[in-house]
Amino acid sequence: MVPHLVTALNGPINELEQRVLDSTPAIERWFRLEWMEHTPPFYSSVDIRNAGFKLAPVDTNLFPGGWNNLTQQMLPLAVQAAQAAIEKICPEARNLLVIPENHSRNTFYLANIAQLVRIFHMAGLNVRVGSIDPAIKSPKKIELPNGDTVTLEPVVRTKRRLGIKNFDPCTILLNNDLSAGAPGILEDLHEQYLLPPVHAGWSVRRKSNHFRSYEEVSKRFGKLLGIDPWLINPMSSRAEGVNLGEGVGVDVVTSHVDAMLTKVRRKYKEYGINEKPFVIVKADSGPGGTSVMTVRDAKEVQALAQHAHSRTSSAGNGPALDDLIIQEGVLTNERVHEGVAEPVVYMMDRYVVGGFYRVHADRGSDESLKSPAASFVPLAFSDSSHLPQHSAKPGASAPNRFYMYGVIGRLAMVAASYELEATDPDAEVYE
């Protein structure tokens, strides 16, 4: 199924698409050389925005949920990628333990876990689901609305290993982003592979590090293609020590927003873009969603601070000082079923394995689409992401557009590999 797209199929995006298609051999060689030097994240998903004049990633998730949104046609790609990833890390692997979020009542999330279990089972592994939720004290079988079942079992920790009763895995797959911090039960597992590593979790990870790495990647890739890196890079800056609810750092945020809007206006003028610039303000750590704010004028920051103050006052206490990321807002001009849409690309190891559109009928093209009211429509990646149609005119071919999404997703994955290397606490540092 190819979703119906109403996309801005003119201007620089067509020129960019043509440049990408013409450079396919050089692009694929570039990625191949990158993966000779760097290790890709075990799995990842990337939110992409297509403004018609710009195509850029706006968020990269290293503990992707939503695997249940991948269609049956996409599963062979995911299974092959899973086999490649496991063979690289632990060729003799037999048992895999999946550790989910503590969302045992969220059947949509558990359908995602069931899909991961299915993928790795078909990749040739015995797979069990071990919960670190203290409330899970005995095996708990959960029936899902789609007919699948998930059995959550309490984890058992020995001195150097983690498993469940009568099941000793060599590899542990985290589908838990560690937003609440890394529990001690996951520490010092020197005899097992923990994927992704603990320092990929939100207790350590910062979006600003990722987008700093992505900026570096986009400059190098832009040089390869002979394009302005801005066409694939959302500019960003970081405001430190802010608490809008308590009025701390409001001037700092206002200054960052004003500077970013000025930069975006300059780029819009350069490219003759007749759109109103905006920025996205969000926490520098954590998965985001409800806390993502769209700002179109620096004066709006004061109103945001007042709104945050009223919320924290009613709650009785405000959050601690936080760091915010101020990111260039990227419009999405894609529509699916008359709703505003953005593509989400899923990857495992270094391979694009599928994706979907996140669709929200009640959000604008300059707003975040992450909310419980969003719906999901599969992308037709299973046939097309690696088979662009070079003879087609730019903008006329869904496979070509999907190939571009895969390229942008893989660029974000390269940036994530740089990011993880730079923040690895066990990496050797040479003076």
Side-chain angles (χ1 to χ4, degrees):
M1 172 206 177
V2 178
H4 177 63
L5 303 181
V6 182
T7 312
L9 296 177
N10 51 43
I13 200 72
N14 281 348
E15 184 180 333
L16 176 62
E17 182 176 307
Q18 190 64 58
R19 193 70 62 90
V20 167
L21 294 173
D22 291 345
S23 306
T24 299
I27 289 171
E28 296 306 325
R29 179 177 181 273
W30 187 88
F31 279 119
R32 193 164 63 247
L33 294 176
E34 284 296 312
W35 299 133
M36 289 174 67
E37 299 290 333
H38 305 281
T39 302
F42 185 79
Y43 56 5
S44 56
S45 67
V46 177
D47 298 353
I48 297 172
R49 305 277 282 204
N50 181 359
F53 53 85
K54 177 171 183 151
L55 185 70
V58 294
D59 200 17
T60 300
N61 187 354
L62 299 183
F63 298 87
W67 288 90
N68 50 308
N69 291 314
L70 272 60
T71 63
Q72 286 293 118
Q73 290 80 7
M74 297 175 188
L75 285 187
L77 283 176
V79 171
Q80 287 179 326
Q83 287 173 329
I86 290 293
E87 284 170 11
K88 185 192 303 181
I89 294 158
C90 184
E92 70 280 5
R94 181 180 299 169
N95 296 335
L96 175 75
L97 181 66
V98 177
I99 296 184
E101 302 273 1
N102 296 343
H103 296 168
S104 60
R105 295 182 182 176
N106 184 334
T107 56
F108 184 85
Y109 173 75
L110 291 175
N112 149 74
I113 293 296
Q115 184 81 305
L116 278 173
V117 170
R118 183 178 295 112
I119 288 169
F120 286 99
H121 176 76
M122 289 192 290
L125 295 167
N126 301 314
V127 189
R128 305 272 281 274
V129 182
S131 176
I132 58 175
D133 185 347
I136 304 295
K137 300 184 184 303
S138 60
K140 180 180 181 181
K141 187 175 182 180
I142 302 171
E143 304 279 346
L144 303 180
N146 64 359
D148 283 339
T149 63
V150 172
T151 301
L152 301 177
E153 301 181 72
V155 295
V156 177
R157 175 65 197 253
T158 60
K159 186 175 181 180
R160 299 178 67 85
R161 298 183 72 84
L162 188 69
I164 57 180
K165 187 177 180 181
N166 300 323
F167 187 80
D168 184 30
C170 95
T171 306
I172 298 165
L173 178 64
L174 282 177
N175 197 247
N176 181 321
D177 64 17
L178 307 180
S179 295
I185 199 169
L186 297 179
E187 295 177 355
D188 300 319
L189 296 173
H190 300 301
E191 297 178 355
Q192 293 167 298
Y193 296 94
L194 184 64
L195 305 168
V198 169
H199 72 276
W202 284 122
S203 54
V204 176
R205 191 175 180 229
R206 296 293 177 267
K207 296 183 178 81
S208 53
N209 289 337
H210 176 76
F211 283 104
R212 197 177 303 117
S213 294
Y214 185 82
E215 183 179 14
E216 177 188 343
V217 169
S218 67
K219 287 177 179 176
R220 291 179 50 234
F221 191 77
K223 188 174 181 180
L224 174 75
L225 263 60
I227 62 168
D228 180 353
W230 177 75
L231 294 172
I232 57 172
N233 177 46
M235 298 182 290
S236 63
S237 63
R238 181 176 178 233
E240 300 180 33
V242 175
N243 184 333
L244 292 181
E246 297 295 329
V248 177
V250 176
D251 290 346
V252 174
V253 177
T254 301
S255 176
H256 276 276
V257 168
D258 190 45
M260 185 59 66
L261 286 171
T262 299
K263 288 181 181 179
V264 178
R265 285 190 197 100
R266 194 176 298 133
K267 278 295 184 182
Y268 280 16
K269 184 177 181 180
E270 178 185 341
Y271 282 93
I273 296 164
N274 188 26
E275 297 284 356
K276 185 174 177 61
F278 66 101
V279 301
I280 297 296
V281 179
K282 53 190 175 183
D284 197 20
S285 64
T290 56
S291 60
V292 176
M293 299 167 283
T294 299
V295 181
R296 301 169 187 86
D297 190 299
K299 296 175 183 176
E300 295 175 15
V301 175
Q302 190 65 47
L304 287 175
Q306 291 172 350
H307 180 63
H309 178 70
S310 64
R311 284 188 305 172
T312 55
S313 297
S314 62
N317 59 342
L321 292 180
D322 201 356
D323 296 335
L324 299 179
I325 184 169
I326 290 82
Q327 188 177 60
E328 172 193 355
V330 182
L331 291 165
T332 177
N333 278 334
E334 304 214 46
R335 303 291 183 273
V336 176
H337 306 317
E338 299 183 0
V340 175
E342 64 186 10
V344 185
V345 176
Y346 272 60
M347 291 160 289
M348 191 173 292
D349 193 59
R350 58 195 178 104
Y351 304 103
V352 175
V353 298
F356 53 81
Y357 280 97
R358 182 183 289 114
V359 185
H360 203 304
D362 300 322
R363 293 281 173 95
S365 60
D366 61 353
E367 295 180 293
S368 169
L369 305 187
K370 284 187 174 180
S371 90
S375 58
F376 306 94
V377 177
L379 274 166
F381 267 129
S382 56
D383 315 305
S384 57
S385 66
H386 294 294
L387 295 173
Q389 298 173 354
H390 294 81
S391 60
K393 292 181 180 179
S397 167
N400 290 352
R401 187 55 48 87
F402 295 163
Y403 177 73
M404 283 183 64
Y405 294 162
V407 168
I408 297 298
R410 286 184 288 165
L411 290 175
M413 183 165 48
V414 172
S417 73
Y418 290 9
E419 172 197 0
L420 291 178
E421 288 169 10
T423 56
D424 185 353
D426 297 323
E428 293 185 26
V429 179
Y430 298 96
E431 296 295 337

